[in-house]
């Protein structure tokens, strides 16, 4: 659920009803989206000073209490480094251009926070800890990467002492994991590009599977078939082959995971429930889920940017 949807009683309740009636047992709610704004007010002094909160969800504690009363596991999503609000407020915290030292922007005019900036680290940590205190069960970090489009040759990556972009990201992951586990042992998860499951490099964005999975309780590759380029795995339109694409992607993920002695149960993929590249039917969504189970994994998440999901693709909840 986006913050706006979570704050809308009717829309939100229609989604809670789907969870009540089907095999679903969890929900992901935006804490901070790609605008940089938070979905609810907070009493944290650093967040208050930055002024990034919006009152989209009027009473976050009431919402988390309601969801817990229905035994729903609550995952809070933070759009980590894509943040046009904060880069405008504090340009010194932003990814900069090599050419003139100004704030770098992608083709859509969006800007990113600098993953090496310690102030950024502290701010993200404050959001995570405060949200956990509000009743979220797990904190999910998205956009944990460098920009992927635009004039990336003009980005100053702040690479020092022979470090790579992936090294910079790993230092952030290490900081996050260490600090967030100190007191409450808060469960954390990472959203990453689907192609990381088999890429042999960082794809230019600093995401390397082996440098991510050790630091998180769950890693969530976005294996949306529509996001794979033509001829991936030999398919002209990968969108039309959801089982095959996701099966191959997860097989690669498991091989990489076992090679560094990590548990494959950490893998929890995002699956496609939206029309892109093909009209996604209930059978196609079910085939995605089937691919997850075929690989011996037991958890997955569904995404639709409009938050309109397909209940008919889901098993009805059985009452024992």
């Amino acid at each position: 659920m986006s913050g706006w949807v979570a704050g809308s009683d009717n829309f939100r309740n229609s989604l809670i009803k789907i969870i009540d009636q089907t095999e679903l047992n969890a929900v992901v709610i935006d804490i901070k989206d790609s605008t940089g704004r938070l979905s609810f007010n907070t009493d944290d002094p650093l967040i208050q000073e930055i002024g990034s909160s919006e009152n989209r969800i009027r009473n976050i504690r009431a919402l988390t209490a309601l969801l817990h009363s229905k035994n729903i596991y609550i995952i809070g999503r933070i759009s980590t480094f894509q943040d046009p609000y904060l880069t405008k407020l504090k340009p010194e915290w932003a990814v900069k251009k090599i050419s003139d030292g100004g704030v770098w922007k992608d083709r859509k005019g969006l800007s990113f926070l600098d993953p090496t900036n310690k102030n950024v680290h502290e701010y993200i940590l404050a959001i995570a800890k405060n949200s956990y205190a509000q009743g979220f069960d797990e904190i999910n970090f998205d956009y944990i990467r460098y920009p992927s489009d635009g004039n990336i040759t003009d980005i100053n990556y702040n690479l020092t002492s022979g470090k790579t972009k992936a090294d910079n990201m790993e230092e952030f992951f290490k900081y996050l994991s260490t600090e967030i586990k100190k007191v409450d042992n808060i469960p954390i998860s990472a959203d990453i590009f689907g192609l990381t499951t088999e890429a042999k490099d960082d794809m230019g964005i600093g995401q390397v599977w082996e440098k991510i999975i050790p630091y998180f309780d769950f890693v969530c590759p976005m294996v949306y078939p529509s996001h794979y380029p033509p001829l991936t795995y030999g398919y002209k339109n990968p969108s039309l082959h959801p089982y095959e694409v996701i099966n191959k992607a997860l097989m690669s993920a498991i091989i990489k995971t076992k090679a560094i002695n990590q548990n494959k149960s950490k893998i929890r993929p995002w699956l496609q429930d939206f029309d892109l590249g093909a009209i996604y039917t209930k059978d196609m969504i079910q085939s995605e889920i089937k691919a997850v189970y075929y690989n011996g994994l037991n958890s997955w998440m569904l995404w639709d940017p409009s938050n309109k999901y397909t209940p008919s693709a889901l098993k009805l909840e059985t009452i024992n």
Side-chain angles (χ1 to χ4, degrees), residues 56-291:
R56 300 175 185 179
I57 303 172
R58 290 177 295 280
N59 189 333
I60 188 61
R61 287 184 181 272
L63 176 57
T64 56
L66 170 67
L67 294 169
H68 283 151
S69 74
K70 296 175 175 291
N71 293 318
I72 296 172
Y73 183 76
I74 312 167
I75 303 168
R77 172 182 172 271
I78 295 174
S79 175
T80 307
F81 295 129
Q82 187 180 82
D83 193 328
Y85 173 81
L86 190 50
T87 54
K88 185 175 181 180
L89 186 71
K90 292 187 177 291
E92 66 275 17
W93 293 9
V95 168
K96 306 285 200 320
K97 292 188 283 186
I98 296 172
S99 55
D100 62 10
V103 175
W104 184 94
K105 294 182 180 180
D106 67 12
R107 290 194 192 105
K108 296 178 181 176
L110 297 173
S111 45
F112 280 65
L113 295 168
D114 180 357
T116 68
N117 187 293
K118 303 305 180 187
N119 294 305
V120 171
H121 295 188
E122 291 171 7
Y123 175 61
I124 297 300
L125 182 67
I127 295 172
K129 284 186 169 182
N130 184 268
S131 299
Y132 184 73
Q134 304 278 10
F136 286 87
D137 299 301
E138 173 186 319
I139 307 299
N140 169 259
F141 298 89
D142 198 0
Y143 283 93
I144 44 173
R145 61 175 177 81
Y146 284 103
S148 59
D149 65 84
N151 185 13
I152 58 176
T153 59
D154 195 25
I155 293 176
N156 181 356
Y157 292 103
N158 282 335
L159 301 179
T160 58
S161 306
K163 287 181 180 174
T164 65
K165 288 174 272 187
D167 292 336
N168 280 354
M169 285 295 170
E170 186 177 22
E171 286 193 2
F172 170 71
F173 303 148
K174 187 181 292 186
Y175 165 86
L176 195 63
S177 179
T178 302
E179 294 299 319
I180 213 164
K181 300 284 187 181
K182 274 185 176 175
V183 180
D184 297 308
N185 197 28
I186 301 170
I188 57 175
S189 55
D191 294 344
I192 56 177
F193 274 19
L195 286 168
T196 57
T197 67
E198 56 199 298
K200 303 223 174 357
D201 59 15
D202 74 343
M203 299 177 295
I205 60 171
Q207 287 190 347
V208 171
W209 185 271
E210 294 85 349
K211 288 179 177 286
I212 298 171
I213 198 166
Y215 302 102
F216 292 90
D217 298 288
F218 302 99
V219 172
C220 313
M222 298 177 281
V223 289
Y224 312 126
S226 61
H227 285 36
Y228 286 81
L231 300 180
T232 298
Y233 306 127
Y235 298 114
K236 184 177 180 181
N237 181 358
S239 303
L240 296 172
H241 303 274
Y243 177 85
E244 293 82 359
V245 169
I246 290 174
N247 179 45
K248 288 180 182 294
L250 294 180
M251 286 174 64
S252 300
I254 291 168
I255 290 169
K256 282 190 171 189
T257 301
K258 288 182 174 179
I260 57 168
N261 298 313
Q262 292 289 309
N263 195 318
K264 74 174 188 178
S265 64
K266 284 188 169 190
I267 304 171
R268 187 180 66 199
W270 278 105
L271 306 179
Q272 178 168 342
D273 189 0
F274 53 89
D275 298 334
L276 183 63
I279 303 298
Y280 260 59
T281 64
K282 72 170 188 177
D283 291 338
M284 295 172 82
I285 296 164
Q286 287 172 342
S287 71
E288 294 182 287
I289 297 170
K290 182 181 176 183

